[in-house]
Each structure stands twice: as C-alpha cells, then as structure tokens.
Amino acid sequence: MTTASVSGSRERELWRRLGEVNDPELDEPITEMGFVERAEVAGDGGVEVDFRLPTYWCSPNFAFLMLDGVRKVLDRLSWSPVYRVTLHDHMFAEEVNSGMEAGKSFGDIFGELAGDLDLGTLRETFAMKAFKRRQEAVLLSLRQCGLPDQEILGMDLVAYDRARFRMEETAKQKARYRAALLERFPARRASDPVFLTWEGQKIPVSALGAHLAELRGVRINMEFNGALCRGLKHTRYKELDVVDGEPTLVDFIMDRVPVEPAPNI
C-alpha cells in the first residue's frame, strides 16, 4: 500500500471514530455539530485534533465528557498513534487540556470546583434521553409504515432487524436505537421485545400514546438545545468583526430577528 493510500485510509478511520462520539446532551455526533475544527494524521502517524465549543462558558463537565470520548476512540485507532487533543477558546481550556494530557479524571482536574458532581449519574441521564429519542424515531416510522401498534410492540430483535425504512435518517436511528437497547439491556435474547421503557418494562398497547407523548417531550427539548447550540456556534465563529469581545446570546437572537425595510418617505 502506498504512503498516500495509507494516509487516506487513516484519515477516514480517524473521522469515522470521531463520529462515534456524541454531544452528551444532544445525542448528535460531535463531527456533525462542528465541534471538531481540525483532525489530521501527520506523516509519522501522530494525530492532532482541535476542538471548539459554541461558547466560552460551555459547561466544563460537558466538555470533559466529549473530550474523554474523543480520547477513548483515539485509543482504538488501528495504528495506535501518539495523539494530542486541544480544547480552544474555553474558560477552562488550560486546565482541561493539561489534565486530559495527564490522563486525569474530572475530579482530579477541577478539584473542589467539581463539587459533588457524579459523572456516572450524568452519563446515565444523557444515555436515558438518547435511548428515548432514538426509540421515538423508530416507533413513529413503524407506525407510518402502516404496522399496527400491537405488532410493533411485539417485535423481537429478529423482526426488528428485518424492518426496512426508506428514509436514511430513520435507518440511522434504527441502528442507533438497537445499540442503545443492547447497551442498556446487554443480556437480552433475540426473542425478547425490542420496545421497552428505560426501566425495562413492556409498553402496553393502551399506553403507547402516553408513552409517545413523553418521548416527544424529550425530543423537543433536545432539538431546541441543539438548534440553540448550532446557532451560538455559528454566531461565535462566523467571519465578522466582533466589538468588545465575543458574541453573546443577545447577539445570536438579534442576528436572527428579521429587519423590516424602511418606509419610503
């Protein structure tokens, strides 16, 4: 294999791995959110990743969770490179970068500032939201395909894997829900129901409407946060001169308020 093809193969693997890391609050890949500003493989195989978040004050626990995810996927690269991940333009960038490089935990990096925050509990909360959002997407799509609720809720993994969706986004969520289901309930058998509550309970047909209403609330909240996040990032990094510091939330909102044309006098 030529040097160029090796480099190209490694670049593709690098971006594929980075795409496996999700924003924990939004359940969307950090690559699609635009948080990975640069990811390159050097001639010697080393990897450099530059990471930026929508605002200077983004929650440091969110930043740590994403960067920790980046660190884990880089550890799984096939050629085991030396790598460096750098967080830019964040209020705790220096602490996070030095701590991550040293392999420190969130508590080690922030000490007393971390307080009683339990990242394990936080991870589980985000995993629950992702589980519900993915499940809703698949349930609604199966309904749109004309399947009766009883058949949908009776699906096992075999029937689920046979189901086909025309929309690419739905097909992606189908695979993502399957992954979330097996991560949440790793001991499931192929004959067990696919659609369960987060607590592992079967969903009665009579309760599906109320269950979907709950899932819808989770999705709307995540979609709002995602839109706000993208807007803030766009406003922060778009090419314009910023007077007296970085754009604020007010700048973001005002940038999207339609301006009425001046009346002709």
Side-chain angles (χ1 to χ4, degrees):
M1 188 178 290
T2 65
T3 301
S5 61
V6 169
S7 176
S9 174
R10 287 179 172 179
E11 288 275 0
R12 289 189 293 274
E13 182 183 347
L14 170 60
W15 281 99
R16 178 175 59 81
R17 286 296 187 186
L18 290 172
E20 296 172 1
V21 182
N22 291 325
D23 178 302
E25 185 180 26
L26 309 177
D27 190 38
E28 298 185 37
I30 58 173
T31 49
E32 294 182 15
M33 293 297 298
F35 297 163
V36 180
E37 185 171 86
R38 183 178 70 95
E40 293 183 356
V41 180
D44 62 359
V47 169
E48 290 197 2
V49 176
D50 288 333
F51 198 81
R52 293 183 192 272
L53 291 169
T55 70
Y56 181 74
W57 55 87
C58 276
S59 176
N61 50 8
F62 289 179
F64 179 86
L65 286 174
M66 284 183 273
L67 291 171
D68 189 47
V70 169
R71 181 168 59 183
K72 288 176 180 176
V73 298
L74 294 182
D75 282 336
R76 296 202 296 269
L77 289 171
S78 61
W79 68 99
S80 302
V82 174
Y83 58 80
R84 183 175 64 183
V85 182
T86 306
L87 173 64
H88 295 277
D89 299 336
H90 189 274
M91 61 190 298
F92 289 113
E94 183 176 347
E95 293 87 346
V96 170
N97 289 332
S98 60
M100 295 289 287
E101 188 173 356
K104 293 182 178 179
S105 68
F106 182 81
D108 290 336
I109 294 173
F110 291 99
E112 292 182 359
L113 289 176
D116 297 327
L117 178 65
D118 181 357
L119 282 188
T121 300
L122 192 61
R123 286 182 195 273
E124 183 170 353
T125 298
F126 290 140
M128 175 188 65
K129 290 182 178 181
F131 178 93
K132 291 182 176 182
R133 185 181 186 183
R134 298 176 190 185
Q135 185 187 83
E136 185 210 26
V138 180
L139 283 171
L140 292 178
S141 295
L142 289 170
R143 269 186 158 187
Q144 290 170 0
C145 290
L147 272 67
D149 291 347
Q150 186 170 356
E151 182 177 342
I152 293 172
L153 295 178
M155 273 188 168
D156 57 17
L157 273 176
V158 176
Y160 183 82
D161 289 341
R162 283 202 303 261
R164 294 290 179 267
F165 300 109
R166 296 177 184 176
M167 299 291 291
E168 181 180 349
E169 178 61 28
T170 306
K172 182 174 71 172
Q173 290 290 31
K174 175 192 173 188
R176 298 181 83 219
Y177 175 66
R178 190 187 201 280
L181 176 74
L182 295 181
E183 182 176 350
R184 175 64 175 167
F185 307 109
R188 298 205 67 69
R189 298 168 300 179
S191 58
D192 290 336
V194 167
F195 296 109
L196 303 168
T197 66
W198 174 252
E199 294 76 21
Q201 302 299 315
K202 292 183 179 180
I203 306 166
V205 174
S206 60
L208 182 56
H211 180 71
L212 284 170
E214 177 194 344
L215 302 187
R216 180 175 180 271
V218 172
R219 170 176 52 83
I220 288 175
N221 178 263
M222 294 174 76
E223 287 179 348
F224 174 82
N225 288 337
L228 182 62
C229 190
R230 286 187 176 89
L232 287 169
K233 185 176 187 300
H234 170 75
T235 299
R236 185 183 190 193
Y237 293 115
K238 68 182 180 181
E239 295 181 358
L240 49 72
D241 292 327
V242 180
V243 180
D244 295 329
E246 300 190 354
T248 66
L249 180 57
V250 174
D251 298 320
F252 162 66
I253 295 171
M254 293 305 296
D255 190 48
R256 281 151 179 76
V257 174
V259 178
E260 294 292 336
N264 294 323
I265 300 176

